[in-house]
Amino acid sequence: MELLRVTYRLDGDPSAAAARADAIALEQTVEVPRAVAMRDAFIANEIVGRVESIDATADGARLATIAYPVAATALDPAQLLGVLFGNSSLHADVSCVDFDPPPSLCKALRGPRFGIAGLRALTDVRERALTCTAVKPLGHSPGALADLLRTFARAGIDVVKDDQGLADHAFCPFEARVAACLAAAEQVAEETGHRALYVPNLIGTPERVFAQLRFAEDHGARAVMVSPMLLGLPTFWELCHRHASVPVLAHPCLGGAVRYAPELLFGKLLRLYGADAVIFVGYAGRFGTPRETCAAIASNLRRRWGGLAPSLPIAGGGVALENAAEAVSFYGRDAVLLVGRSLQMDPDRLVERSRALVDTVRDASAVLPGER
Amino acid sequence: MELLRVTYRLDGDPSAAAARADAIALEQTVEVPRAVAMRDAFIANEIVGRVESIDATADGARLATIAYPVAATALDPAQLLGVLFGNSSLHADVSCVDFDPPPSLCKALRGPRFGIAGLRALTDVRERALTCTAVKPLGHSPGALADLLRTFARAGIDVVKDDQGLADHAFCPFEARVAACLAAAEQVAEETGHRALYVPNLIGTPERVFAQLRFAEDHGARAVMVSPMLLGLPTFWELCHRHASVPVLAHPCLGGAVRYAPELLFGKLLRLYGADAVIFVGYAGRFGTPRETCAAIASNLRRRWGGLAPSLPIAGGGVALENAAEAVSFYGRDAVLLVGRSLQMDPDRLVERSRALVDTVRDASAVLPGER
């Protein structure tokens, strides 16, 4: 029987940790008292979770690892979330910090379709870390956003994404914005030979998001971005595996509102569901993610895991031009530096700062150790 | 200009609260420095959020209320979540604790289609609090679950829902389960005249959930349940307003994994999105929600608000037969008591305890003060 192992952090009384872990094993599967569950051999053996280990953390909490029969998930993207952390999320002293999906679950959910290799091929960047910025702020017209995109593309930036706040606004409709930005990228490609990868943001209910995807693909978009925690992970999965024929980037919006460990949510869950690239908020910016968490996210996205393609880490959240070189040495080549507001800090030096980012990342990549 | 007011709790240094609130007002809208946003009059006046007030809480935190032009939300169910708490959720010291949607947003999102009145009509319970339990545990066959449903229905329980963990499992397929349970409820109705409202649980990616809904409705289901935080709120909205012709109950699964205040998430957000009834974990059970939080959730679901129909509070999470009478006096008539494991505690007394619940709620409702 294949098992799904999930690790929870228990912040309550350590002497109650064993009982608490056992309660979670029941809550996440049968949600009845153990005595009731044990009356049925099938339920007792093939449904109920089992506590495998309880260890102390350095700060005195407990880490409980529970093994669930994978059958409880029905191999479904929504049900998996319920088994991982559904009802137990309602206990304030429990966090979900890690999970280890068995082969059948990886095969069912599939993970990235393009991943690092696909995005490198699309951007034609084989040997170095990639650069990324965003067209924003919300409130600009499609024409103004397309002008910004032209500036970034002429500077040589690899990936120019929409801000995640760009929806289908009356003052900047989705279709007009995407058409204008795609045309701008194409225009710069004809002028300079550098075709920046413009990544439109899709947002809305499933019907609208799938229609936006069709529009974007029909008009030549070569990648798209969504915020999976706004849409819901099951919708995200369906977008990746039932609708999209281009790579999908995941934005972390609303992702801090969950009591999942960041290295689980951004490093594993989004990769398992199909993100070809995952934006997360890095250590150098305004969100203050610890360096070791950033390293764990990047490592989880790229390492061999479940037979899934690696996903491209995109470090954002306030990475500045001034620490771009250090960030390249931290994250390495298979990473994207997403530098947004730092480029727009001084609108009169937008061109200069954009070019400086491109040069910095190229130079910092060149001195990295390793094989390429 | 209509404004969306949102209140955040700031747990950091109180002397930095004003600057922090201003940063949130920018982060949730333009996500560029204020100086850049101010260069464009439209953006400055009609997009950027404005801090309206900062107040101290009893425990020394700060509550900041920010007014956003409602246009920033594009009146879209997904974009609304981004404006409410998207990027700011990534700051660990910020929680989203309240919001006040203007009329245009209430009109666009619509809220409950049936609400309390519709569910009372459907169950034919006009004068008292309602009873509810669940068929479970996961692992039972459709036939075993239908047997349980027969027992509960014969005892006179009003609402019998699926456990939220019942998905489309190989050992208990969705279609077989729903057909068996609907037939069982119908059989008891013919025998006894009491037609329990059986509420199937829908779960999966949007395509699967909408197909499950069609199956359930085609086979006579008069209400359905989903876990909106598993599916994603935008999918939940589309289910309610584009697909369902029956009432939709919201289960709180994964709802504790968010740093929204419970009275906001369960009391307001789910009502705004369309839940006709909202299950939450009450004070008496194993989740330990404070009584004042429970009162606030129930009040938010039922009070006059934005021209939306009231939504029916369903108190669950471990409510026991033994405190059912007290719970009726606490929540009042317009409420459902969801008693699950307490009925199944002793499988040999299932019939007796189910009947006792029905009698207790009827008697406790009868002595409530008020007009009915």
Side-chain angles (χ1 to χ4, degrees), chain A residues 251-272:
Chain A
H251 190 280
C253 189
L254 203 63
V258 297
R259 215 160 59 232
Y260 293 113
E263 50 270 49
L264 183 165
L265 180 61
F266 301 118
K268 290 186 164 185
L269 211 45
L270 292 176
R271 178 178 173 192
L272 179 64

Side-chain angles (χ1 to χ4, degrees), chain A residues 18 54 73 88 134 162-163 183 232 242 272 301 313:
Chain A
I54 299 181
T73 69
S88 290
D162 279 344
D163 199 30
R242 292 267 186 274
L272 179 64
L301 287 171

Side-chain angles (χ1 to χ4, degrees), chain B residues 330-347:
Chain B
F330 182 84
Y331 291 113
R333 284 189 185 85
D334 280 335
V336 183
L337 294 201
L338 166 52
V339 181
R341 64 172 64 200
S342 167
L343 298 188
Q344 295 207 37
M345 214 70 168
D346 179 354

Side-chain angles (χ1 to χ4, degrees), chain B residues 233-257:
Chain B
L233 282 168
T235 303
F236 175 65
W237 185 87
E238 198 169 287
L239 178 85
C240 292
H241 298 290
R242 292 267 187 271
H243 296 271
S245 58
V246 298
V248 177
L249 279 60
H251 191 280
C253 189
L254 204 63

Side-chain angles (χ1 to χ4, degrees), chain A residues 27 31 36 71-72 79 86 89 91 136 164-165 169 205 207-208 230 234-235 238 254 256-259 286 344, chain B residues 27 31 36 71-72 76 79 86 89 91 136 164-165 169 203 205 207 230 234-235 238 254 256-259 286 344:
Chain A
E27 183 79 52
E31 219 190 305
V36 175
Q79 176 75 356
S89 76
H91 288 293
K136 58 181 178 184
Q164 86 290 345
H169 291 92
T205 60
E207 191 183 320
R208 296 189 74 181
L230 293 187
T235 303
E238 199 168 287
L254 203 63
V258 297
R259 215 160 59 232
R286 64 194 181 279
Q344 295 207 37
Chain B
E27 183 79 51
E31 219 190 304
V36 174
D76 177 82
Q79 177 75 357
S89 76
H91 288 293
K136 59 182 178 184
Q164 86 289 346
H169 291 91
I203 191 165
T205 60
E207 189 182 323
L230 291 187
T235 303
E238 198 169 287
L254 204 63
V258 297
R259 216 158 58 230
R286 63 194 181 279
Q344 295 207 37

Side-chain angles (χ1 to χ4, degrees), chain B residues 34-60:
Chain B
R34 179 167 289 277
V36 174
M38 292 300 123
R39 288 166 73 108
D40 181 305
F42 175 74
I43 293 174
N45 297 325
E46 307 204 23
I47 301 293
V48 176
R50 275 179 184 71
V51 181
E52 286 198 334
S53 64
I54 299 181
D55 300 301
T57 66
D59 60 350

